[in-house]
Amino acid sequence: MQLRVFGRTGMQLSVLGFGCGAVGGVMVRGEPADQERAVARAIDVGVNYFDTAVLYGDGESEKNLGRVLQKLKPAGAIVGTKVRIPPDAFGRIADAITTSLEGSLARLGLDRVDIFHLHNPITVSGGGSALSARQVLDEVVPAFEQLRQQGKIRYLGISAVGDTAALHQVIDAGVFDSAQIVYNMLNPSAAEELPKNYPAQDYARLFDRTRAAGVGVVGIRVLAGGALSGSAARHPIASPAPEPIGSAMSYDADIERARRLMPLVEEGFASSLTEAATRFALSHPAMGTILVGMATPQEFEGAFAAVEKGPLPQAALDRLSALRQAFDGEAR
């Protein structure tokens, strides 16, 4: 498994991370034996980053990951988790963060986590479940820093969802070490300029900002929540079709556009859309590690096989770009 240096942290993360989220579901709703088998196999092939959150199954993902890691005791496992601050706690952000982390550490059976990500959306003015960029910089960061000084977290991170301008502001501040960034074949705007009428959120070359700030990138939604399989079918333990992030306004629209990328498979660039999407996410040098959700150990094997084939060749990227031009001007 290839390792990539993760931003300014100096950590070397496996290019394929182990996503413990609710969309795939194995670490939330899977059988304990399947959870252990999937994690053991991942460790065996060189995966060293495990990404979870209290939000995944209301702590079940953390609990299950903690149980498996305690049993397997892998050397060098790097664990990231997240805090989602509820709106009713916005008046006491530091306390909410500390309480959440203490619960996460207990469920994981750890004294500290390697990366602690803020899980709230970040917008210019806040509102709803979102925090404003100012709240993040003035209140979240000091709380995170205090926990780092206490030795409970190593690195500070964000989930880079929300308003593009706010995300740029927070990344440019240079206070975070990690950012989880939407990047997939339907929306490559973190890396390249999109046409003005392209039907997706424009992240306005966010990778330029992370690179300048030394921020490591965790690729999320690389399969657009499963839409880039080109199939509406979902495994029984997977979540229902998730709300799209950064791409179309509906999951069905994402699937429809994904199917229009099938020439990549038909012309021999990849054996499946899922493989193409996985390899696409690795194709940009800003990418540190990518997360691919899974419902079964077999789905991990598919992700691993795709990663082992390496990034898509330039000819495939050029073909993809040409196919995507047809989306310009369509309703999001």
Side-chain angles (χ1 to χ4, degrees), residues 82-97:
K82 309 179 189 76
V83 54
R84 172 71 71 98
I85 305 162
D88 63 9
F90 283 2
R92 46 183 181 86
I93 283 175
D95 287 345
I97 288 170

Side-chain angles (χ1 to χ4, degrees), residues 238-255:
S239 73
E243 186 180 330
I245 294 176
S247 45
M249 300 305 283
S250 80
Y251 189 72
D252 287 346
D254 277 351
I255 292 175

Side-chain angles (χ1 to χ4, degrees), residues 83-97 118-145 156-158 161 163 165-167 169-171 173 175-176:
V83 54
R84 172 71 71 98
I85 305 162
D88 63 9
F90 283 2
R92 46 183 181 86
I93 283 175
D95 287 345
I97 288 170
L118 176 67
H119 213 174
N120 294 68
I122 302 170
T123 59
V124 172
S125 53
S129 64
L131 290 166
S132 70
R134 260 307 27 107
Q135 284 173 300
V136 173
L137 295 175
D138 293 349
E139 298 183 64
V140 173
V141 170
F144 275 27
E145 284 290 3
L156 284 53
I158 61 167
V161 295
D163 292 346
L167 298 176
Q169 181 183 344
V170 169
I171 293 290
V175 291
F176 286 98

Side-chain angles (χ1 to χ4, degrees), residues 5-324:
V5 177
F6 192 69
R8 61 169 177 256
T9 69
M11 289 192 298
Q12 292 198 325
L13 267 55
S14 51
V15 291
L16 177 61
F18 194 99
C20 302
V23 174
V26 70
M27 296 305 290
V28 176
R29 293 173 293 274
E31 293 294 326
D34 281 346
Q35 292 168 349
E36 186 175 328
R37 191 178 309 121
V39 173
R41 173 63 175 155
I43 292 165
D44 189 48
V45 301
V47 169
N48 68 359
Y49 179 61
F50 297 85
D51 185 274
T52 185
V54 64
L55 198 66
Y56 302 156
D58 193 22
E60 284 302 303
S61 172
E62 290 179 324
K63 210 181 298 179
N64 292 327
L65 178 63
R67 184 194 75 248
V68 174
L69 292 180
Q70 292 288 327
K71 182 172 183 181
L72 298 177
K73 294 183 169 51
I78 296 167
V79 176
T81 194
K82 309 179 189 76
V83 54
R84 172 71 71 98
I85 305 162
D88 63 9
F90 283 2
R92 46 183 181 86
I93 283 175
D95 287 345
I97 288 170
T98 301
T99 301
S100 182
L101 179 62
E102 295 293 355
S104 293
L105 291 174
R107 285 184 291 274
L108 287 163
L110 297 172
D111 296 324
R112 71 171 184 184
V113 290
D114 297 288
I115 313 176
F116 194 42
H117 289 100
L118 176 67
H119 213 174
N120 294 68
I122 302 170
T123 59
V124 172
S125 53
S129 64
L131 290 166
S132 70
R134 260 307 27 107
Q135 284 173 300
V136 173
L137 295 175
D138 293 349
E139 298 183 64
V140 173
V141 170
F144 275 27
E145 284 290 3
Q146 186 169 17
L147 292 169
R148 171 147 61 182
Q149 287 163 14
Q150 293 170 6
K152 294 177 179 177
I153 61 178
R154 288 176 70 197
Y155 298 110
L156 284 53
I158 61 167
S159 295
V161 295
D163 292 346
T164 298
L167 298 176
H168 281 209
Q169 181 183 344
V170 169
I171 293 290
D172 289 350
V175 291
F176 286 98
D177 307 295
S178 173
Q180 302 211 329
I181 294 179
V182 173
Y183 185 63
N184 60 48
M185 295 200 300
L186 296 174
N187 186 354
S189 65
E192 62 187 80
E193 197 170 331
L194 288 183
K196 279 203 169 19
N197 296 315
Y198 189 87
Q201 179 172 352
D202 187 354
Y203 288 101
R205 299 181 64 100
L206 190 54
F207 288 165
D208 290 351
R209 309 294 181 124
T210 58
R211 191 182 290 120
V215 174
V217 173
V218 179
I220 60 171
R221 289 298 173 106
V222 301
L223 301 181
L228 276 164
S229 67
S231 169
R234 301 189 72 79
H235 191 277
I237 72 160
S239 73
E243 186 180 330
I245 294 176
S247 45
M249 300 305 283
S250 80
Y251 189 72
D252 287 346
D254 277 351
I255 292 175
E256 187 274 329
R257 288 200 180 101
R259 288 172 177 161
R260 289 156 67 187
L261 303 179
M262 274 301 289
L264 291 173
V265 177
E266 294 157 0
E267 294 166 22
F269 291 114
S271 62
S272 66
L273 269 183
T274 304
E275 181 201 305
T278 304
R279 295 173 63 195
F280 169 79
L282 294 175
S283 300
H284 198 279
M287 190 62 68
T289 184
I290 63 168
L291 301 179
V292 178
M294 65 204 81
T296 65
Q298 291 74 25
E299 288 185 3
F300 172 79
E301 295 297 337
F304 172 58
V307 166
E308 286 296 281
K309 290 185 178 181
L312 286 178
Q314 189 59 48
L317 298 175
D318 292 343
R319 184 69 174 108
L320 173 61
S321 186
L323 291 167
R324 243 189 345 248

